[in-house]
Amino acid sequence: MSRRGKPRETKIPEANCAMGPGTQTPLCSGPGTAFKEEQNQKIKKEQKPKKREQKRPEHTNETSVPDVKTESACIKTKKGTSTSTSPEHLTDEKPQHRQPETPKGATKVPVPQSNIGQKADVDKILSTTLTKLKIKRKDRAEAAHLINGIIKNIMDYLNKNTECFKDVQDLRTGSYYENLKISNPDEFDVMLTVPISRVDIQPFTDDGAFYSVALKRGKTPLDKFRKENNTISGSEILHEFRNEVKKCVKKTEYVEVEKKKMGCPAVTLLVTGPGSVTLSLDVVLALEVRTCWPHFTKEGFKIEGWLGRKVKQECKGKPYYLVPKYQGRGARECHGVLAKDTWRISFSHVEKAIMKNHGSEKTCCEENGARCCRKDCLKLLKHLLSLLKTKDSSFDKFCSYHVKTILLHACCSRTKDTDWKASHLTQCFLLLLENFESHLRDQDLPNFFIPTQNLLLGPSPKSCILLADRIKEERENGFPIFS
């Protein structure tokens, strides 16, 4: 201790010091300096934290974490701020594996292996069924050749031997000419049209499907069927037409005229084809009307989103047709016209046009274009209905036109070709069946062209519900009826 109470300084052994070049820090040597440096190195070694493996950020826009070299490390956060983390909290544990994040708005739906297997089974069943429904090219060619010959003979006969039907033209319609025929080429539909002008068309019923036709002044080939109120009788024209067709085919050995069905506008010919196969040919007389479509069609035929406005205008520029068919009791009278003398409007030529050019893209189902499954879905539904009808006679009121109408409405709801990819056949077919079931349960199926007409007024409500139940049963059980 000094005299003023201060402790004496401990003498440190002398060391030889020199000034480092360009600095003012002495470079010392000696036992004291070596001891201090050794102690400092030991402390730094103890305090230096271990580097931990950094997780690679999943997003490239985040700043990587800097190496920790000091007692307090600054680590970047996702928001760009920094937090001080002590070495005690830094460990050398390996980062855990992270699962990929689910995109926002997406829902994780587990797909049971059993469901995948069931879908594969349905895919195979539908594909196999379509293969069975294909018509052989040879059979198609032979049947078409035979039918074309009969139609030509009938037209030649009418042109030469009748006055009222001398100007008839043939219009090929129906599933065969729309490439929608299934199984066998055994049914054909041909309209023989009579052009008329200067007529007055008036609706006979409130739904806009049936009309009376009155001739205006002037001489026409149909004058012999004109009544006192200038209307022409559908029943009388059909009777005359039937008699003339019977005369034409009377001497043809392989053609027989089927007995007339009440309310049916067709003259049905049964033709014995190659291999004793019986073909059915429906010959339908129709009036060709070249005026604007009736106002009942204004809210129908909504194909703008599917085929476009241009196609719609082209179709509406075509004539429409009237066939001699009535609904209900033939003796029912309205405005001086009997129901049996009325005519039903037909747009079968337009249906044929849009089914042959059914894609939202012009190349749909062409040789170099993408294929869709619209027609395949329709063929499968027609086949399903046919099989169900063979098992239950209460379904006799349902026909292929109901099925076609379902598809036309579906095409206007799901307008893009990508909605009907050929690879999505099962999904599209199941959805079409659900559409059909819904209409059956509601007992309401609007005519595609005249939405005020309900096509399900004919079948009973009970049969509509029963058919919906049968379709649902087939759909949920993988279509055992196709096996």
Side-chain angles (χ1 to χ4, degrees), residues 394-433:
S394 66
F395 299 152
D396 287 345
K397 290 286 186 178
F398 299 98
C399 62
S400 60
Y401 192 70
H402 291 116
V403 173
K404 182 194 286 187
T405 302
I406 289 291
L407 178 70
L408 292 174
H409 284 303
C411 288
C412 290
S413 298
R414 301 181 284 281
T415 59
K416 302 300 181 184
D417 293 342
T418 52
D419 297 328
W420 299 88
K421 286 184 178 180
S423 57
H424 297 168
L425 172 64
T426 299
Q427 176 185 346
C428 294
F429 182 54
L430 294 177
L431 192 55
L432 190 65
L433 290 180

Side-chain angles (χ1 to χ4, degrees), residues 242-265:
R242 183 179 179 85
N243 287 338
E244 294 296 340
V245 172
K246 288 173 69 175
K247 292 178 185 178
C248 174
V249 300
K250 184 177 182 180
K251 295 181 181 180
T252 307
E253 296 180 356
Y254 54 87
V255 179
E256 179 185 350
V257 180
E258 189 178 57
K259 186 178 180 181
K260 187 180 184 306
K261 299 176 183 177
M262 184 176 296
C264 178

Side-chain angles (χ1 to χ4, degrees), residues 6-23:
K6 292 184 179 181
R8 294 182 181 271
E9 295 181 359
T10 305
K11 290 185 179 183
I12 302 174
E14 293 181 358
N16 297 324
C17 298
M19 302 298 291
T23 66

Side-chain angles (χ1 to χ4, degrees), residues 98-99 111 184 306 321 400 410 448 469 471:
R98 298 180 64 185
Q99 296 292 336
V111 181
N184 298 301
W306 169 25
Y321 296 90
S400 60
F448 185 66
D469 291 340
I471 293 175

Side-chain angles (χ1 to χ4, degrees), residues 58-59 99-109:
E58 291 185 18
H59 304 289
Q99 296 292 336
E101 295 181 359
T102 303
K104 290 182 179 180
T107 305
K108 292 184 179 179
V109 179

